[in-house]
Amino acid sequence: LAILSLLAFGKRVDLSDIYVEGIEDISNFDIQYAKELGYVIKLLAIAKRYGNELEVRVHPTFLPSEYLLSSVSGAYNAIFIEADLVGKQLFYGQGAGKLPTSSAVVSDIVNIGHKITCGKNSAKSVIPRDTEIKKVRKMDDVVTRYYAHFSAIDKPGVLANIADLLGRHNISIASVVQKERSKAHIVPIVMLTHEAKESDMQAALSKINKLPAIKNKSVIIRLEK
């Protein structure tokens, strides 16, 4: 993502400035529920420009099933680009295996040889110059929609308490589904929110997880259009 941000926006991004979240909290329940809702879950590296700020983040993401990136799987990788004049474009191909890897290695060797022969600055033209981007946006300032999965004791008032805490942190609920109870009287509560600020979502999540009725770590997954 740091390399792509440099190529696309001309902004050198420190790895410490990139928000990174893995897939360890994603369960089969979330994968199946995403499918029911018309989404798939993909681990995405996302870079977006907002004026003179750059947003860079890596995390699991809910994507609409008809989205261009949704069908990318296995050894294949894809880069999705949206620009003002060319619109939406997808670059797709194998990113693993002996042949794709050897091709990338040979390409790097040729590039190094070219720089030795023609000078170390011979490839500078591929990187945008005089970028207007001044800073990297903090993850707390990111605004997006969310999928939230809570595991709660099935008793009156729990859903109302969760909704109240979300509302107190400026988070509006788009839809909510509560599945039937299990033998342990624990039910999954699934919500989709409207756009909300990351800092607000994390603050609400921290308080929701402290409710006596919440029995497992709550899961949130960010949505992309």
Side-chain angles (χ1 to χ4, degrees), residues 133-161:
I133 296 173
K134 303 303 180 185
K135 65 177 182 177
V136 175
R137 177 176 290 187
K138 294 181 179 179
M139 189 61 191
D140 281 346
D141 295 328
V142 168
V143 175
T144 186
R145 296 183 64 202
Y146 294 89
Y147 158 94
H149 169 202
F150 308 103
S151 296
I153 296 175
D154 186 17
K155 66 178 184 179
V158 174
L159 183 57
N161 288 338

Side-chain angles (χ1 to χ4, degrees), residues 15-214:
L15 295 183
S16 60
D17 289 332
I18 299 177
Y19 175 83
V20 178
E21 181 182 312
I23 63 173
E24 61 270 15
D25 291 332
I26 306 299
S27 67
N28 286 332
F29 175 90
D30 299 312
I31 295 171
Q32 291 302 316
Y33 216 88
K35 186 176 181 181
E36 289 183 30
L37 293 169
Y39 292 87
V40 297
I41 302 175
K42 295 292 182 182
L43 184 65
L44 296 188
I46 300 169
K48 294 183 178 181
R49 176 180 175 177
Y50 295 92
N52 65 354
E53 292 185 357
L54 185 65
E55 185 178 288
V56 283
R57 46 194 170 98
V58 179
H59 53 70
T61 309
F62 258 46
L63 292 176
S65 55
E66 71 274 8
Y67 200 61
L68 288 174
L69 287 173
S70 298
S71 60
V72 180
S73 61
Y76 287 86
N77 294 154
I79 299 174
F80 176 79
I81 296 174
E82 185 170 359
D84 53 358
L85 298 180
V86 300
K88 299 177 180 179
Q89 295 186 325
L90 184 74
F91 299 88
Y92 173 83
Q94 288 193 356
K98 60 182 181 181
L99 294 180
T101 302
S102 63
S103 174
V105 171
V106 171
S107 176
D108 287 342
I109 293 172
V110 170
N111 186 47
I112 293 170
H114 183 267
K115 287 186 177 182
I116 292 173
T117 304
C118 303
K120 64 179 182 179
N121 295 325
S122 61
K124 267 192 172 180
S125 60
V126 301
I127 299 174
R129 297 182 180 181
D130 301 322
T131 177
E132 296 178 358
I133 296 173
K134 303 303 180 185
K135 65 177 182 177
V136 175
R137 177 176 290 187
K138 294 181 179 179
M139 189 61 191
D140 281 346
D141 295 328
V142 168
V143 175
T144 186
R145 296 183 64 202
Y146 294 89
Y147 158 94
H149 169 202
F150 308 103
S151 296
I153 296 175
D154 186 17
K155 66 178 184 179
V158 174
L159 183 57
N161 288 338
I162 293 173
D164 178 62
L165 286 172
L166 291 173
R168 288 175 182 268
H169 289 85
N170 306 308
I171 300 166
S172 175
I173 300 170
S175 63
V176 58
V177 177
Q178 182 172 330
K179 293 285 190 178
E180 294 182 0
R181 72 169 65 179
S182 64
K183 292 182 180 179
H185 300 282
I186 305 296
V187 296
I189 299 173
V190 170
M191 295 180 177
L192 294 180
T193 75
H194 293 292
E195 286 191 338
K197 198 173 181 180
E198 177 77 14
S199 59
D200 289 336
M201 189 65 189
Q202 292 297 338
L205 196 66
S206 176
K207 292 184 178 179
I208 290 171
N209 281 332
K210 293 177 182 177
L211 292 174
I214 301 298

